[in-house]
């Protein structure tokens, strides 16, 4: 404590010495008194002195006060006095500090006493345990003291609380306290606790903080609430900002839906209180935290969709179009809507359908663009509208097409009753306000960003400049404004207008050879650019020179050599003669070296402190990074290298087309394989069903065999008995039994016949299924342009078809055998009927019975014949199926042969590509070796490669040198 004693020693003696002695005596009483009342009175006295004599009380009494917290926890009054005293020592009461020096000294004292207090981590743990006390006089001072510690030295105190068991959970209980002052101060405590600490933020979020904070906001009246709502919103921002885990938890917990009532504003929006403005501003910022462009794309997209589904976006658009909204809230609402719709097609489509409540209704986009090109509107509002328009067009080809379509002649409203977005952009592009020029140029550039189709469509736009003169294209008008503004007065010309037009032209011409051809078709454009780049101008004009160099480089790199006077080679020769390659590359580098370039490349939102800083657009900085390197390489390349590169590009494009073709073939093969697999699985199921049917038939045949053998034995016994005993009574006694057996046999045959008929029906359905599948397979094979990709899968399919064929053959054999055995059984029955003797005394009765048996046998024979016919038809259908299987096998063989041919063609093309690459590598190596030899001989290689205008003596020297090299 030497530094504290030094501070105290610098003060005046006299009365101070008396107070020091008093504080020392009180500390002695706290430390040595055995009576609780004496210690309580001493601590109360220290509390009364702690505000005025903060340094002395802190130096002498802090250790004793901590000891009181440890030993006298049973008495809440003395604990409350001790906590209040420590709070007075550590906290910085700014209201009582009047002078700047005293304020700084107070802040130093607070941090120094905090450092002394937390030097023993047990002190913070002790304070956390005291917060569990429900007594108001203990809990509330404890919350205030811990909040002050976190404000003074946040990170070390956070670390102590983080490692303390249940430390964060104890603090979360404060939000559930029924006493509002403790709950509100608990919110302030959690604000300081969660600041810049991701681990604590996650713990607080999973301790159900979102639910409790949203409940508090609802209880306090949402945006109409007081300072408590503001504190809760700040705490929510601490938990969600730059914390992807908490953002995902907030979305999955369906808490986004609970934000919708925050933005329900009434029809009368006049007379908003300052607190309501602050609350709504924080609520809008909280929405932006969830959909910030810096968040992971997946998390942002899911939050955007949730906001649309719950109606939050619709509520924000209602505020956007409402009247009487304060200017700062309207600006922040525009920025919030911008990020909610950015890159989300569903939200962008909804925003395009929003109309302003005017008569007649106008689209919200048109109303916003009217504010952007109006120079009387606040600068911040105009920047917000530009950001909204950019977010609406971000990755939205449909929206880009709709904006460009409003400029085309076929879609312009001839009556002039309504103003379109394209007309507003053109009006702002050619107005006298430089800020409107820049905003309109950037907005129009975003309508072309990454969309080659709309770049070509915009070439059709014609503008009527004056009465009696022919219309001029939009591209030509932009270049005319650039050249005329430069000729009139360079000093008076507005740099913002020229920069905006150049950024628009660079975006327009990049990746669009047709637009480059239109630009070069005007013979005045190239001389204007070269003249701008070649001049030595001041620092203010260096940025324009860099943009002109970029535009000329784009005209070279994306040139398709369709104009003879402005081919790539001729433009590079022009740069070499009039500017110089090194000077051109230096001027091109002025863009990325500008002080405002890096600022614009950080965030998509155009956030400028004043109009003078509005120079670069975020998306344009990406374009510069992409093109600066390739343009530099294109400038230094020779014509031969360009030709070789074009040939390589064409070859690669051809190979890419081949690869794409084979990819499509592979996709078709995959589909075919899936269909064939499904057919095979279906056939397997049918095969299993047929196998079960065959097994049942075999068991039934075995039963018939057993019955036949039994009948045969019985017939043998009857014949032997009739030969030894010829009386008619015994014959008449045996014959009814035999007839009954025959009846049973007939019934069994009928049941068996019914079973065979059901099996025939199942086989008929199977044959129909096979026919349909075979027909579909044949049609697909006939329409396919390529064979199956995997030969192993084709072989497996062949094996499965062969197995199916063998199974069908075995089934036909079983049916034939069943038919034969049925015939044998019928013959046995007929023989039995004929072998029964008939005597005279029972001749009439036996004749009637025999007639009945013969009738039954004839019916059975008729049914057997029908069964034979059905079996014959089944065998014919089986033969047809076999033929179809043979044809499918031949088709598979043909397809396999075609696949082998295609594989050979692919192998040959790969070999040709490898040979071409080897030749290109050898050629590059030879060129490098020749250049190195020329350099060794002291000749500048670049001048010889590109100019070719040297004198005769130099040619002779070069020829001699080359002969020596050879």
């Amino acid at each position: 404590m030497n530094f504290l004693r030094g501070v105290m020693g610098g003060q005046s003696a006299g009365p101070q010495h008396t107070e020091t002695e008093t504080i020392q005596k009180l500390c002695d009483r706290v430390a040595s008194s055995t009576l609780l009342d004496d210690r309580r009175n001493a601590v109360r006295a220290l509390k009364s002195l702690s505000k005025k004599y903060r340094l002395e009380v802190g130096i002498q009494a802090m250790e004793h006060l901590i000891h009181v917290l440890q030993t006298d926890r049973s008495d809440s009054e003395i604990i409350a006095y001790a906590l209040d005293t420590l709070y007075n020592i550590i906290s910085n009461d700014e209201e009582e500090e009047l002078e700047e020096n005293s304020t700084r000294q107070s802040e130093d004292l607070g941090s120094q006493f905090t450092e002394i207090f937390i030097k023993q981590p047990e002190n913070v743990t002790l304070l956390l345990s005291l917060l569990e006390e429900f007594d108001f006089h203990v809990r509330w001072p404890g919350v205030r003291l811990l909040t002050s510690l976190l404000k003074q030295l946040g990170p070390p105190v956070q670390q102590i609380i983080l490692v303390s068991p249940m430390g964060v959970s104890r603090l979360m209980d404060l939000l559930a306290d029924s006493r509002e002052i403790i709950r509100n101060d608990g919110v302030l405590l959690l604000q300081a606790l969660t600041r810049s600490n991701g681990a604590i933020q996650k713990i607080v979020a999973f301790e159900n903080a979102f639910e409790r904070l949203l409940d508090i906001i609802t209880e306090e009246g949402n945006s109409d609430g007081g300072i408590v709502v503001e504190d809760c919103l700040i705490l929510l921002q601490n938990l969600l900002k730059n914390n992807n885990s908490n953002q995902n938890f907030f979305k999955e917990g369906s808490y986004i839906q609970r934000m919708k009532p925050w933005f329900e504003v009434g029809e009368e929006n006049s007379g908003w209180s300052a607190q309501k403005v602050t609350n709504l501003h924080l609520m809008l910022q909280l929405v932006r935290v969830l959909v910030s462009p810096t968040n992971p794309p997946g998390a942002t997209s899911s939050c955007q969709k949730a906001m649309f589904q719950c109606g939050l976006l619709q509520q924000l658009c209602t505020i956007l179009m409402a009247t009487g909204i304060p200017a700062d809230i309207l600006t922040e609402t525009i920025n919030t809507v911008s990020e909610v719709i950015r890159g989300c097609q569903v939200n962008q489509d909804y925003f395009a359908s929003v109309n302003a409540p005017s008569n007649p209704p106008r689209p919200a986009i048109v109303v916003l663009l009217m504010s952007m090109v109006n120079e009387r509107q606040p600068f911040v509002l105009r920047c917000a509208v530009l950001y909204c328009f950019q977010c609406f067009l971000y990755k939205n080809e449909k929206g880009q097409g709709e904006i460009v379509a409003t400029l085309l002649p076929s879609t312009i409203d001839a009556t002039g009753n309504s103003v379109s977005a394209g007309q507003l952009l053109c009006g702002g592009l050619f107005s006298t306000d430089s800020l409107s020029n820049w905003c309109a140029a950037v907005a129009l550039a975003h309508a072309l960003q990454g969309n080659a189709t709309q770049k070509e469509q915009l070439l059709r736009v014609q503008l009527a400049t004056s009465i009696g003169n022919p219309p001029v294209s939009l591209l030509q008008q932009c270049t005319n404004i650039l050249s005329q503004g430069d000729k009139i007065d360079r000093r008076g010309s507005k740099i913002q207008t020229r920069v905006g037009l150049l950024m628009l032209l660079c975006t327009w011409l990049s990746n669009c050879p047709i637009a480059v051809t239109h630009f070069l078709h005007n013979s005045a454009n190239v001389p204007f650019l070269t003249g701008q780049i070649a001049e030595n101008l001041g620092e203010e004009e260096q940025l324009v020179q860099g943009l002109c160099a970029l535009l000329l480089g784009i005209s070279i790199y994306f040139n398709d050599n369709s104009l003879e006077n402005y081919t790539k080679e001729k433009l590079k020769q022009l740069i070499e003669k009039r500017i110089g390659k090194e000077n051109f590359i230096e001027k091109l580098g002025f863009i990325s070296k500008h002080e405002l370039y890096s600022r614009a490349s950080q965030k998509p939102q155009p956030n400028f402190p004043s109009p003078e800083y509005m120079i670069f657009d975020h998306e344009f900085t990406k374009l510069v990074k992409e093109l600066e390197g390739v343009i530099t390489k294109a400038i230094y390349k020779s014509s031969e290298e360009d030709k070789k590169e074009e040939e390589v590009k064409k070859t690669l494009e051809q190979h890419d087309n081949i690869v794409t073709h084979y990819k499509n073939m592979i996709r078709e093969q995959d589909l075919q394989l899936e269909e064939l697999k499904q057919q095979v699985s279906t056939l397997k199921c049918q095969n299993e069903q047929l196998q079960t049917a065959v097994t049942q038939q075999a068991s039934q045949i075995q039963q018939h065999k057993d019955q036949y053998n039994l009948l045969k034995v019985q017939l043998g016994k009857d014949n032997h008995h009739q030969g030894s005993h010829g009386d008619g009574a015994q014959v008449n006694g045996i014959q009814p039994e035999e007839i009954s057996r025959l009846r049973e046999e007939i019934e069994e045959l009928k049941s068996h016949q019914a079973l065979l008929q059901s099996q025939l029906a199942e086989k008929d359905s199977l044959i129909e299924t096979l026919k349909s599948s075979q027909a579909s397979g044949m049609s697909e094979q006939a329409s396919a342009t390529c064979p199956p990709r995997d030969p192993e899968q084709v072989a497996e399919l062949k094996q499965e078809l062969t197995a199916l064929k063998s199974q069908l053959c075995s089934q036909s054999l079983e049916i034939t055998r069943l038919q034969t055995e049925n015939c044998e059984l019928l013959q046995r029955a007929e023989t039995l009927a004929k072998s029964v003797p008939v005597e005279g005394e029972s001749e009439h009765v036996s004749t009637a019975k025999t007639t009945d048996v013969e009738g039954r046998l004839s019916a059975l024979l008729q049914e057997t014949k029908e069964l034979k016919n059905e079996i014959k038809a089944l065998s014919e259908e089986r033969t047809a199926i076999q033929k179809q299987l043979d044809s499918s096998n031949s088709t598979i063989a043909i397809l396999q042969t075609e696949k082998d041919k295609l594989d050979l063609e692919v192998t040959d093309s790969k070999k040709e590509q490898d040979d071409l690459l080897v030749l290109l590598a050898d050629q590059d190596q030879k060129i490098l070796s020749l250049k190195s030899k020329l350099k060794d001989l002291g000749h500048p290689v670049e001048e010889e490669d590109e100019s070719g205008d040297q004198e005769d003596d130099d040619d002779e020297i070069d020829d001699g040198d080359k002969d020596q090299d050879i």
Side-chain angles (χ1 to χ4, degrees):
M1 298 184 185
N2 292 330
F3 62 92
L4 295 176
R5 291 192 178 92
V7 174
M8 185 179 67
Q11 297 179 359
S12 59
Q16 187 69 26
H17 181 67
T18 303
E19 298 298 336
T20 304
E21 292 178 351
T22 303
I23 294 170
Q24 182 62 42
K25 291 179 181 179
L26 293 173
C27 291
D28 292 339
R29 287 177 60 187
V30 173
S32 60
S33 179
T34 58
L35 295 177
L36 180 60
D37 292 339
D38 292 342
R39 293 198 303 274
R40 186 190 303 119
N41 293 331
V43 174
R44 183 168 56 241
L46 288 172
K47 174 189 172 184
S48 61
L49 296 173
S50 59
K51 286 189 176 181
K52 187 174 183 180
Y53 302 100
R54 178 183 177 189
L55 178 61
E56 294 78 6
V57 174
I59 292 174
Q60 300 185 44
M62 179 175 287
E63 184 176 356
H64 302 292
L65 294 172
I66 294 173
H67 183 70
V68 168
L69 296 178
Q70 294 172 346
T71 58
D72 293 330
R73 292 191 59 174
S74 59
D75 187 70
S76 60
E77 190 174 358
I78 192 173
I79 295 295
Y81 292 149
L83 291 172
D84 287 337
T85 306
L86 288 172
Y87 174 78
N88 293 335
I89 295 170
I90 291 173
S91 67
N92 299 322
D93 194 353
E94 299 178 358
E95 295 181 358
E96 296 185 359
E97 304 295 340
L98 301 177
E99 297 180 0
E100 184 178 358
N101 293 332
S102 61
T103 303
R104 291 179 180 177
Q105 181 179 353
S106 174
E107 292 176 356
D108 293 339
L109 285 176
S111 60
Q112 290 165 2
F113 282 129
T114 302
E115 186 175 358
I116 295 171
F117 184 84
I118 67 173
K119 187 175 290 185
Q120 298 294 330
E122 297 82 9
N123 296 338
V124 179
T125 307
L126 174 63
L127 188 56
L128 290 173
S129 64
L130 289 173
L131 292 179
E132 294 182 347
E133 297 290 338
F134 188 74
D135 192 345
F136 177 82
H137 297 91
V138 176
R139 202 172 201 183
W140 184 55
V143 171
R144 296 173 64 212
L145 177 58
L146 187 57
T147 304
S148 182
L149 292 174
L150 287 166
K151 288 181 179 179
Q152 295 294 340
L153 293 176
V157 179
Q158 287 174 339
Q159 193 61 30
I160 295 172
I161 296 174
L162 185 61
V163 299
S164 177
M166 300 296 292
V168 178
S169 298
R170 293 172 181 174
L171 300 180
M172 284 299 301
D173 293 338
L174 299 174
L175 297 181
D177 200 304
S178 59
R179 294 159 293 193
E180 289 189 359
I181 187 171
I182 295 180
R183 183 200 67 184
N184 299 341
D185 285 350
V187 173
L188 297 176
L189 171 60
L190 291 173
Q191 281 184 20
L193 179 66
T194 57
R195 189 173 291 116
S196 303
N197 193 306
I200 293 179
Q201 290 170 1
K202 292 178 182 179
I203 296 173
V204 172
F206 282 96
E207 288 285 343
N208 205 22
F210 293 140
E211 184 74 26
R212 296 182 183 180
L213 291 173
L214 292 174
D215 288 341
I216 294 173
I217 294 174
T218 304
E219 293 173 2
E220 295 293 327
N222 294 325
S223 60
D224 293 325
I227 191 68
V228 179
V229 174
E230 178 182 351
D231 295 336
C232 291
L233 292 170
I234 294 173
L235 178 55
L236 285 172
Q237 285 192 13
N238 289 349
L239 295 175
L240 293 173
K241 194 171 185 179
N242 299 324
N243 195 317
N244 299 328
S245 175
N246 283 0
Q247 290 175 7
N248 188 41
F249 180 69
F250 190 84
K251 177 186 71 67
E252 292 181 352
S254 300
Y255 296 119
I256 292 179
Q257 289 83 335
R258 298 188 60 179
M259 300 170 69
K260 181 184 176 183
W262 295 355
F263 305 102
E264 293 178 356
V265 296
E267 296 181 357
E268 297 182 0
N269 297 315
S270 59
W272 284 25
S273 64
Q275 186 61 54
K276 182 175 182 178
V277 172
T278 303
N279 291 343
L280 202 55
H281 194 77
L282 290 172
M283 290 172 178
L284 293 169
Q285 287 183 347
L286 190 61
V287 175
R288 295 185 64 184
V289 166
L290 295 172
V291 293
S292 174
T294 58
N295 294 340
T300 300
S301 177
S302 59
C303 289
Q304 288 173 334
K305 293 178 181 177
M307 290 178 182
F308 174 75
Q309 292 172 357
C310 72
L312 180 58
L313 175 60
Q314 294 84 330
Q315 201 69 43
L316 292 173
C317 291
T318 302
I319 297 177
L320 196 66
M321 295 291 104
T323 56
I325 304 295
D328 53 348
I329 295 298
L330 181 60
T331 302
E332 189 64 20
T333 304
I334 296 174
N335 289 327
T336 305
V337 171
S338 305
E339 295 184 352
V340 172
I341 67 174
R342 187 177 188 269
C344 182
Q345 187 65 49
V346 177
N347 295 3
Q348 289 169 340
D349 292 342
Y350 171 77
F351 182 72
S353 65
V354 175
N355 290 324
S358 59
N359 191 14
R362 289 181 176 178
I365 298 175
V366 173
V367 175
L368 292 175
L369 288 178
M370 293 174 67
S371 301
M372 186 186 74
V373 298
N374 188 355
E375 56 184 313
R376 290 176 294 181
Q377 292 292 341
F379 172 69
V380 180
L381 179 63
R382 299 175 73 181
C383 290
V385 173
L386 176 61
Y387 184 45
C388 185
F389 191 73
Q390 292 174 353
C391 291
F392 170 68
L393 297 178
Y394 182 71
K395 293 183 179 180
N396 184 9
E397 294 184 359
K398 179 181 177 183
Q400 290 175 330
E402 291 174 353
I403 296 299
V404 174
T406 58
L407 287 166
L408 299 179
S410 59
T411 57
I412 295 177
D413 187 6
T415 60
N417 294 329
S418 61
V419 180
S420 65
Q423 292 172 345
L424 289 172
L425 291 177
C426 283
L429 192 63
F430 307 126
S431 69
T432 57
D433 180 26
S434 61
L435 187 60
S436 298
N437 301 151
W438 191 92
C439 292
V442 170
L444 196 56
H446 277 263
L448 306 176
Q449 193 75 36
N451 196 329
T453 303
Q454 302 309 322
K455 292 178 182 179
E456 297 177 6
Q457 288 292 326
L458 201 63
L459 295 172
R460 299 169 49 201
V461 177
Q462 300 290 325
L463 301 175
T465 55
S466 60
I467 300 175
N469 293 328
V472 181
S473 67
L474 177 62
L475 181 65
Q476 184 60 42
Q477 184 65 14
C478 292
T479 56
N480 290 342
I481 293 175
L482 280 174
S483 58
Q484 291 173 3
D486 181 72
K487 291 177 182 178
I488 294 173
D489 185 5
R490 180 175 289 112
R491 293 182 180 179
S493 62
K494 299 172 182 177
I495 189 74
Q496 228 167 15
T497 302
R498 301 170 67 193
V499 169
L501 290 173
L502 286 170
M503 286 195 299
L504 172 61
L505 291 174
C506 290
T507 305
W508 194 347
L509 268 61
S510 63
N511 293 295
C512 187
I514 299 176
V516 172
T517 303
H518 279 257
F519 178 77
L520 296 177
H521 188 71
N522 187 354
S523 58
N525 289 338
V526 174
F528 167 72
L529 293 178
T530 54
Q532 288 287 313
I533 301 169
E535 292 185 16
N536 294 322
L537 304 175
E539 294 183 358
E540 295 182 356
E541 294 293 328
Q542 286 182 352
L543 178 58
V544 177
Q545 287 184 316
L547 292 172
C548 290
L550 178 64
L551 184 57
L552 186 57
I554 291 172
S555 302
I556 294 173
Y557 185 73
F558 297 104
N559 193 339
D560 58 358
N561 295 327
S562 59
L563 296 177
E564 295 182 0
N565 296 331
Y566 294 108
T567 61
K568 288 184 177 180
E569 186 62 28
K570 290 184 179 180
L571 287 175
K572 286 192 286 188
Q573 291 177 1
L574 183 64
I575 291 175
E576 177 67 23
K577 292 179 181 179
R578 294 199 58 183
I579 303 172
K581 292 183 178 180
E582 291 77 9
N583 189 23
F584 179 84
I585 300 303
E586 182 183 1
K587 297 294 177 64
L588 183 63
F590 286 162
I591 302 175
S592 57
K593 293 178 182 178
H594 199 275
E595 58 182 355
L596 298 178
Y597 176 86
S598 59
R599 181 171 182 174
S601 63
Q602 293 175 0
K603 293 182 179 181
Q605 182 180 0
N607 188 11
F608 305 105
S610 61
E612 291 78 15
Y613 291 88
M614 184 179 276
I615 298 296
F616 287 109
D617 174 58
H618 176 75
E619 293 296 329
F620 181 74
T621 59
K622 293 182 180 179
L623 182 65
V624 173
K625 290 179 183 178
E626 178 184 351
L627 296 179
E628 188 174 6
V630 296
I631 289 174
T632 303
K633 292 180 181 179
I635 294 298
Y636 283 110
K637 283 182 181 178
S638 63
S639 59
E640 295 180 356
E641 291 176 345
D642 286 336
K643 291 180 181 178
K644 291 179 181 179
E645 185 177 354
E646 290 179 358
E647 292 177 357
V648 172
K649 285 182 179 179
K650 291 180 180 179
T651 305
L652 293 176
E653 288 178 357
Q654 293 177 357
H655 285 290
D656 290 339
N657 293 333
I658 294 172
V659 172
T660 304
H661 176 65
Y662 278 107
K663 285 181 179 178
N664 295 329
M665 291 169 59
I666 289 170
R667 291 191 187 97
E668 293 176 358
Q669 291 172 358
D670 290 336
L671 294 175
Q672 293 176 1
L673 285 175
E674 290 296 330
E675 292 177 356
L676 291 174
K677 286 180 180 179
Q678 292 177 0
Q679 292 179 6
V680 169
S681 61
T682 304
L683 291 174
K684 283 182 178 180
C685 295
Q686 294 175 354
N687 185 24
E688 291 176 357
Q689 294 176 359
L690 289 174
Q691 286 180 353
T692 56
V694 169
T695 304
Q696 293 175 359
Q697 291 175 359
S699 63
Q700 292 174 359
I701 290 169
Q702 187 63 36
Q703 292 177 1
H704 286 296
K705 284 182 179 180
D706 296 338
Q707 294 174 1
Y708 170 73
N709 293 328
L710 180 61
L711 183 60
K712 184 176 180 182
V713 172
Q714 292 176 354
L715 287 173
K717 289 181 180 181
D718 292 338
N719 291 331
H720 177 72
H721 182 71
Q722 289 175 2
S724 59
H725 302 282
D727 57 325
Q730 292 178 350
V731 173
N732 293 332
I734 294 171
Q735 189 174 5
E737 295 177 357
E738 296 297 334
I739 291 173
S740 63
R741 289 192 185 94
L742 287 174
R743 289 177 179 176
E744 292 176 358
E745 292 294 334
I746 290 170
E747 293 298 327
E748 290 176 356
L749 288 174
K750 286 184 177 180
S751 62
H752 182 63
Q753 183 183 4
L755 180 62
L756 288 176
Q757 288 178 353
S758 63
Q759 291 176 358
L760 285 173
E762 292 178 356
K763 290 176 181 178
D764 290 337
S765 63
L766 173 61
I767 288 168
E768 293 298 327
T769 305
L770 289 174
K771 284 183 178 180
S772 62
S773 62
Q774 184 66 21
S776 62
M778 293 295 291
S779 62
E780 289 173 355
Q781 291 172 0
S783 62
T785 58
C786 57
R789 181 183 56 183
D790 193 354
E792 295 179 359
Q793 294 178 351
V794 176
E796 292 177 359
L797 181 59
K798 288 181 178 180
Q799 293 176 1
E800 291 173 351
L801 292 174
T802 305
L804 179 60
K805 180 179 177 182
S806 63
Q807 290 171 2
L808 290 174
C809 291
S810 62
Q811 291 171 9
S812 64
L813 291 175
E814 290 293 335
I815 293 169
T816 305
R817 189 175 63 181
L818 177 62
Q819 180 183 359
T820 304
E821 290 175 353
N822 287 334
C823 291
E824 290 177 356
L825 184 59
L826 291 173
Q827 290 175 1
R828 292 290 183 181
E830 290 175 359
T831 304
L832 178 62
K834 292 178 181 180
S835 63
V836 178
V838 181
E839 298 200 2
E841 57 197 19
S842 60
E843 184 176 359
H844 181 71
V845 176
S846 61
T847 302
K849 293 182 178 179
T850 303
T851 304
D852 183 50
V853 171
E854 288 177 354
R856 293 177 181 272
L857 287 175
S858 62
L860 181 60
L861 288 172
Q862 183 65 27
E863 291 176 353
T864 304
K865 288 180 181 179
E866 293 176 358
L867 181 61
K868 287 180 181 180
N869 294 330
E870 291 176 355
I871 291 172
K872 184 178 180 180
L874 178 62
S875 62
E876 290 176 356
E877 290 178 353
R878 189 190 76 249
T879 304
I881 291 172
Q882 185 176 358
K883 291 180 181 179
Q884 291 178 357
L885 291 175
D886 294 337
S887 65
S888 65
N889 291 333
S890 63
T891 304
I892 290 172
I894 294 169
L895 294 177
Q896 181 66 32
T897 304
E898 292 177 358
K899 177 185 177 299
D900 296 335
K901 291 181 181 179
L902 289 176
D903 290 337
L904 290 175
E905 291 177 0
V906 172
T907 305
D908 294 337
S909 65
K910 287 184 179 178
K911 290 180 180 179
E912 290 175 359
Q913 184 180 4
D914 295 336
D915 295 339
L916 180 60
L917 293 175
V918 171
L919 290 174
L920 290 175
D922 294 338
Q923 187 68 23
D924 292 338
Q925 188 65 30
K926 289 180 182 179
I927 292 171
L928 291 175
S929 63
L930 289 175
K931 285 185 178 180
S932 63
K933 288 180 181 180
L934 290 175
K935 288 182 180 178
D936 294 337
L937 293 174
H939 295 286
V941 178
E942 298 175 355
E943 296 178 356
E944 292 177 0
D945 291 336
E946 297 182 9
S947 63
D949 296 333
Q950 295 183 355
E951 297 178 356
D952 296 334
D953 296 338
D954 294 336
D955 293 337
E956 294 176 359
I957 294 171
D958 294 341
D959 295 335
D961 293 338
K962 291 181 180 178
D963 293 335
Q964 292 176 3
D965 294 339
I966 296 171

